[in-house]
């Protein structure tokens, strides 16, 4: 195809608690990115309730579709393909987006492009600058903490991952202990910048010869510290608690990432996912990367760190250009994963 042609991808994202539909031009320009958030609905439960999320997606999906097409000022006839997140995520939530995408693809005879949600997070960085390969991505979100090697476009290989809680899960659980509202990550980041690392929580797996992570021990140490203080009537500084927790997370994420960059020479390091909005993590990685001049640090835009369909459109465009297609029997895959790098230490 002529690369100058205006190529439009309609994208759907419903993997968790955000209903989103976007229109993306040539994989790099957002014409519309409509997001209906459910945070207020889940806040009273302290976390996402899958059945509630699914019902909200059903209510919002057609409204988001109409708004996205209107905002982008395009018609179905102008579209080139339909991309959709089919995993990982909550199965009921995923099915809403998959069903909507299949309906549009069938009704308008458009190619259906299946997209891994985590690939979408990586390609959110595409709206900042073109991705150069090989690249490495540090994905930190509510359900995933992974180092992903990208040897070429549309190829993703896991170098290391969390063995228990993801960083985002740890943030949410710590937030509940501190009495913060859901989601707690942004508030913990703010508190951390007003405190200092005085508790010296453990840095799990920091010196192990692999690229994996573990945050359950840190979570337990934090909770035990707080509960013990409550039992003896001691009042702890909330800012220092947040700073100590966050510094432990950052130290491990940065150390493992730098180690991977030495083992897998790349042109870019991409920071993406919900926790990629964390100021402390962004600053720490930027500081360490000053010693690796050959690696460009690319951060997903703050507005696209959370779940959204624009990132699915960007990843879907690359998949489409690489002849990835799905049939109309496409199903949700809640446990979808990238393959591991061959021979990588697990």
């Amino acid at each position: 195809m002529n690369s100058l042609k205006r190529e439009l991808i309609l994208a759907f994202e419903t993997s968790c608690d955000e209903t989103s539909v976007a229109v993306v031009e040539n994989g790099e320009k957002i014409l519309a990115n409509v997001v209906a958030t459910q945070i207020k609905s889940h806040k009273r439960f302290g976390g996402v309730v899958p059945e509630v999320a699914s019902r909200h997606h059903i209510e919002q999906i057609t409204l988001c579709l109409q708004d996205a097409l209107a905002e982008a000022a395009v018609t179905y006839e102008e579209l080139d393909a339909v991309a959709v997140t089919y995993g990982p995520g909550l199965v009921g939530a995923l099915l809403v987006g998959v069903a909507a995408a299949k309906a549009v693809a069938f009704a308008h005879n458009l190619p259906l492009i299946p997209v891994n949600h985590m690939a979408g997070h990586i390609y959110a960085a595409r709206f900042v600058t073109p991705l150069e390969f090989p690249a490495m991505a540090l994905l930190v979100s509510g359900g995933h903490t992974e180092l992903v090697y990208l040897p070429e476009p549309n190829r993703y290989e896991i170098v290391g991952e969390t063995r228990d809680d993801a960083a985002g899960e740890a943030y949410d659980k710590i937030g509940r202990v501190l009495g913060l509202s859901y989601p707690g990550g942004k508030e913990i980041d703010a508190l951390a910048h007003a405190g200092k690392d005085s508790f010296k929580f453990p840095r799990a797996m920091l010196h192990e010869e692999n690229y994996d992570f573990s945050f359950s021990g840190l979570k337990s140490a934090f909770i035990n510290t707080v509960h013990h203080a409550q039992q003896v009537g001691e009042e702890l500084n909330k800012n220092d608690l947040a700073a100590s927790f966050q510094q432990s997370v950052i130290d491990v994420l940065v150390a493992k990432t730098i180690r991977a960059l030495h083992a897998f020479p790349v042109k870019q390091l991409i920071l993406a996912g919900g926790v990629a909005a964390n100021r402390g993590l962004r600053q720490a990685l930027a500081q360490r990367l000053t010693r690796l001049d050959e690696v460009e640090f690319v951060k997903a835009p703050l507005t696209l760190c959370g779940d959204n369909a624009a990132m699915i459109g960007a990843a879907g465009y690359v998949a489409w250009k690489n002849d990835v297609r799905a049939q109309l029997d496409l199903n949700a895959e809640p446990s979808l994963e990238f393959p591991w790098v061959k021979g990588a230490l697990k």
Side-chain angles (χ1 to χ4, degrees):
M1 287 188 181
N2 186 346
S3 60
L4 298 179
K5 179 181 180 294
R6 187 185 192 223
E7 297 172 328
L8 302 179
I9 302 291
L10 177 69
F12 292 84
E13 159 58 32
T14 62
S15 64
C16 190
D17 59 344
E18 312 282 1
T19 310
S20 185
V21 181
V23 179
V24 175
E25 180 180 334
N26 295 341
E28 61 184 14
K29 182 179 180 181
I30 301 173
L31 301 185
N33 187 33
V34 177
V35 181
T37 184
Q38 304 176 11
I39 287 179
K40 289 184 178 179
S41 295
H42 298 288
K43 185 172 289 187
R44 55 183 166 153
F45 303 111
V48 178
V49 179
E51 179 62 22
V52 173
S54 300
R55 290 177 182 271
H56 274 292
H57 288 310
I58 292 171
E59 294 170 358
Q60 295 294 326
I61 192 71
T62 55
L63 299 175
C64 290
L65 173 58
Q66 292 170 1
D67 289 347
L69 291 174
E71 184 179 328
V74 301
T75 64
Y76 288 111
E77 289 70 26
E78 296 176 86
L79 298 173
D80 290 280
V82 181
V84 61
T85 299
Y86 75 111
L90 303 173
V91 63
L94 288 165
L95 284 170
V96 177
V98 169
K102 289 197 291 187
V104 173
F106 175 75
H108 299 279
N109 194 30
L110 292 167
L112 179 64
I113 315 301
V115 177
N116 184 311
H117 177 74
M118 305 313 294
H121 275 303
I122 292 173
Y123 268 88
R126 178 62 186 85
F127 296 112
V128 175
T129 188
L131 301 191
E132 297 183 17
F133 303 91
M136 183 73 70
L138 173 61
L139 293 177
V140 274
S141 69
H144 296 78
T145 301
E146 300 172 345
L147 278 166
V148 181
Y149 178 58
L150 290 77
E152 58 190 33
N154 204 51
R155 185 175 164 193
Y156 313 90
E157 301 175 348
I158 295 178
V159 171
E161 64 181 359
T162 183
R163 297 187 181 180
D164 39 61
D165 287 354
E169 289 175 313
Y171 268 93
D172 288 337
K173 291 173 183 177
I174 294 311
R176 287 197 289 271
V177 174
L178 291 176
L180 306 178
S181 60
Y182 172 84
K186 187 175 181 179
E187 289 189 67
I188 292 174
D189 189 23
L191 292 174
H193 279 77
K196 56 183 183 296
D197 180 15
S198 58
F199 290 92
K200 304 299 179 183
F201 290 124
R203 274 66 169 162
M205 300 179 66
L206 183 62
H207 302 294
E208 291 192 16
E209 293 298 321
N210 56 48
Y211 312 107
D212 288 348
F213 309 95
S214 171
F215 298 107
S216 64
L218 168 61
K219 176 195 67 180
S220 298
F222 184 98
I223 293 173
N224 290 340
T225 297
V226 173
H227 285 177
H228 179 264
Q230 292 171 342
Q231 290 169 356
V232 300
E234 180 184 358
E235 185 174 347
L236 302 178
N237 185 297
K238 188 175 289 189
N239 293 341
D240 289 351
L241 280 170
S244 299
F245 166 77
Q246 177 154 297
Q247 194 59 54
S248 178
V249 173
I250 289 174
D251 284 351
V252 175
L253 289 175
V254 172
K256 292 289 182 120
T257 300
I258 297 300
R259 187 181 303 165
L261 291 178
H262 285 297
F264 295 85
V266 298
K267 296 179 180 179
Q268 291 178 329
L269 171 66
I270 301 162
L271 176 63
V275 184
N278 184 282
R279 287 186 298 155
L281 178 58
R282 286 179 170 236
Q283 292 168 2
L285 275 172
Q287 184 176 9
R288 287 293 300 274
L289 282 171
T290 57
R291 305 173 195 173
L292 294 172
D293 294 334
E294 69 278 11
V295 179
E296 180 185 10
F297 186 28
V298 183
K299 303 178 288 292
L302 289 173
T303 55
L304 298 179
C305 285
D307 294 347
N308 66 89
M311 67 185 194
I312 303 304
Y317 179 82
V318 175
W320 176 55
K321 285 296 189 179
N322 281 270
D323 297 321
V324 175
R325 302 288 187 273
Q327 301 302 312
L328 291 177
D329 60 355
L330 177 68
N331 202 358
E333 294 190 26
S335 299
L336 182 67
E337 293 184 349
F338 291 136
W340 272 79
V341 168
K342 185 177 181 181
L345 294 171
K346 296 187 182 182

